[in-house]
């Protein structure tokens, strides 16, 4: 049932052609938006959890260094943060696949175009959503072997209606296995290595071809030198992007101070006019 529900939803989203991209390209402003939206998203997760009898969990806002890492380990490194669609993120863990399927269907019912208001009763217009992307990684796990259902959406009627958030639907048994095997620590260690390989056009695979054993054992010095040169370029790009990010954060802080000072001056003027009246 889960595969059928996710396939149907993905086909519908393909027809709608909704872009999964943020309206903000500056990371400091994007993270500021995330902070404003965080409480609304958490309330939404709690309502989903209560409705389905599952367990919701909020993650902290994505930090600047991991965000910088994702931005620079792309095919075209830049400070464009518009592709970071998981600044605000959370998860819901389900004890079985029926609960996963029910949650996926409920999210579809809450969509402004695909939805069914009768089946989404009790949520209110403030929790109407616009689904923009869905990845069923139970069908196709990641290169690291992790499986979940990854969903990105926006809140249609929120003042930040263009900010894309991320929700992971997870299976409790897989979470327990990963925790006991310390899989999350291993994932964090190897994630950057996977992304580096993807950035240089040699993404990892989840399969192993015995016919390639001889090729693996033969080291081509020219390939190693080329790889080392590309890694040096990426390290240089990281340094440049980090400096740019720090400058952007300083500019955002200065802008915030300016706004606060303007508000203070406005209050002073209003107070003076009130006293003269």
């Amino acid at each position: 049932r889960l595969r059928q529900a996710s396939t149907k939803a993905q086909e519908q989203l393909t027809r709608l052609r909704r872009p999964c991209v943020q309206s903000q390209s500056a990371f400091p402003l994007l993270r500021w938006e995330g902070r404003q939206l965080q409480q609304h998203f958490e309330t939404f997760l709690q309502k989903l959890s209560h409705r389905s009898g599952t367990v919701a969990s909020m993650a902290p806002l994505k930090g600047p260094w991991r965000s910088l890492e994702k931005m620079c380990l792309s095919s075209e490194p830049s400070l464009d943060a518009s592709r970071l669609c998981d600044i605000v993120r959370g998860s819901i863990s389900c004890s079985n696949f029926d609960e996963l399927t029910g949650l996926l269907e409920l999210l579809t019912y809450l969509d402004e175009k695909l939805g069914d208001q009768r089946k989404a009763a009790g949520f209110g217009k403030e929790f109407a959503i616009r689904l923009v992307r869905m990845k069923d990684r139970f069908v196709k796990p990641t290169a690291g072997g992790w499986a979940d259902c990854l969903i990105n959406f926006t809140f249609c009627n929120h003042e930040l209606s263009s900010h894309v958030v991320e929700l992971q639907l997870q299976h409790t048994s897989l979470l327990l296995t990963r925790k006991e095997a310390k899989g999350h620590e291993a994932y964090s260690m190897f994630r950057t290595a996977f992304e580096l390989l993807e950035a240089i056009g040699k993404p990892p695979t989840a399969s192993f071809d015995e016919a390639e054993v001889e090729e693996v054992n033969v080291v081509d010095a020219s390939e190693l030198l080329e790889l080392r040169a590309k890694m040096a370029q990426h390290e240089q790009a990281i340094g440049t992007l980090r400096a740019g990010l720090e400058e952007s954060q300083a500019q955002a802080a200065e802008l915030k101070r300016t706004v606060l000072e303007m508000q203070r001056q406005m209050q002073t003027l209003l107070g003076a006019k009130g006293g003269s009246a």
Side-chain angles (χ1 to χ4, degrees):
R1 284 187 58 206
L2 177 62
R3 178 177 294 188
Q4 291 176 346
S6 66
T7 299
K8 179 181 178 181
Q10 288 177 66
E11 289 174 349
Q12 291 173 320
L13 290 179
T14 299
R15 287 195 296 269
L16 290 172
R17 296 182 179 181
R18 294 170 174 171
C20 187
V21 63
Q22 303 283 18
S23 60
Q24 287 284 359
S25 60
F27 176 74
L29 295 177
L30 187 63
R31 201 167 189 273
W32 178 86
E33 284 187 355
R35 189 170 298 280
Q36 308 310 306
L37 190 60
Q38 197 173 23
Q39 183 59 55
H40 187 75
F41 180 68
E42 182 173 3
T43 302
F44 180 68
L45 289 198
Q46 294 299 331
K47 289 179 74 69
L48 286 175
S49 174
H50 180 74
R51 176 79 165 258
S52 58
T54 53
V55 180
S57 177
M58 279 292 294
L61 292 178
K62 183 172 288 294
W65 302 125
R66 173 56 187 155
S67 298
L68 178 62
E69 193 176 54
K70 290 188 71 174
M71 285 187 281
C72 69
L73 289 179
S74 62
S75 56
E76 298 180 2
S78 73
L79 276 176
D80 184 356
S82 62
R83 294 292 175 181
L84 295 178
C85 295
D86 59 348
I87 297 293
V88 179
R89 62 253 171 87
S91 64
I92 295 182
S93 58
C94 307
S95 60
N96 56 65
F97 282 101
D98 285 338
E99 289 181 353
L100 281 163
T101 304
L103 264 175
L104 182 56
E105 290 174 342
L106 177 55
L107 287 165
T108 304
Y109 297 150
L110 288 165
D111 184 90
E112 62 171 353
K113 295 290 186 184
L114 308 175
D116 186 329
Q117 293 183 352
R118 294 171 301 173
K119 294 180 179 179
F123 274 81
K125 292 183 179 180
E126 68 272 23
F127 293 114
I129 64 174
R130 183 183 298 109
L131 296 169
V132 295
R133 183 171 62 185
M134 184 178 300
K135 293 182 181 180
D136 187 350
R137 300 193 294 201
F138 287 108
V139 174
K140 188 178 180 180
T142 66
W146 177 245
D148 59 11
C149 188
L150 189 66
I151 301 169
N152 295 99
F153 59 90
T154 63
F155 290 102
C156 303
N157 299 315
H158 193 276
E159 59 181 344
L160 296 172
S161 60
S162 62
H163 190 102
V164 182
V165 300
E166 180 178 285
L167 172 60
Q168 292 183 17
L169 303 184
Q170 303 170 335
H171 196 293
T172 305
S173 297
L174 290 175
L175 281 173
L176 182 61
T177 301
R178 184 171 71 170
K179 181 178 180 180
E180 291 180 345
K182 297 185 178 180
H184 186 70
E185 288 83 350
Y187 170 72
S188 297
M189 290 173 61
F190 291 107
R191 177 178 58 194
T192 304
F194 285 159
E195 291 173 347
L196 273 170
L197 289 170
E198 290 175 336
I200 63 173
K202 296 184 178 181
T205 63
S207 61
F208 179 74
D209 187 351
E210 293 183 1
E212 296 179 352
V213 171
E214 293 300 323
E215 296 181 13
V216 171
N217 290 332
V218 177
V219 178
D220 188 332
S222 63
E223 286 190 5
L224 287 176
L225 290 173
E226 181 184 356
L227 178 59
R228 180 177 294 176
K230 288 183 177 179
M231 289 182 68
Q233 291 175 0
H234 280 286
E235 288 176 356
Q236 184 178 4
I238 289 174
T240 302
L241 292 172
R242 179 174 293 175
L245 179 60
E246 290 174 347
E247 182 180 355
S248 296
Q249 289 177 322
Q251 291 174 349
E254 179 62 29
L255 179 60
K256 184 177 180 180
R257 286 193 293 269
T258 302
V259 171
L260 291 174
E261 177 60 22
M262 291 175 66
Q263 289 176 340
R264 186 189 66 77
Q265 292 177 1
M266 185 177 293
Q267 290 173 354
T268 301
L269 287 172
L270 291 173
K273 288 183 179 180
S276 62

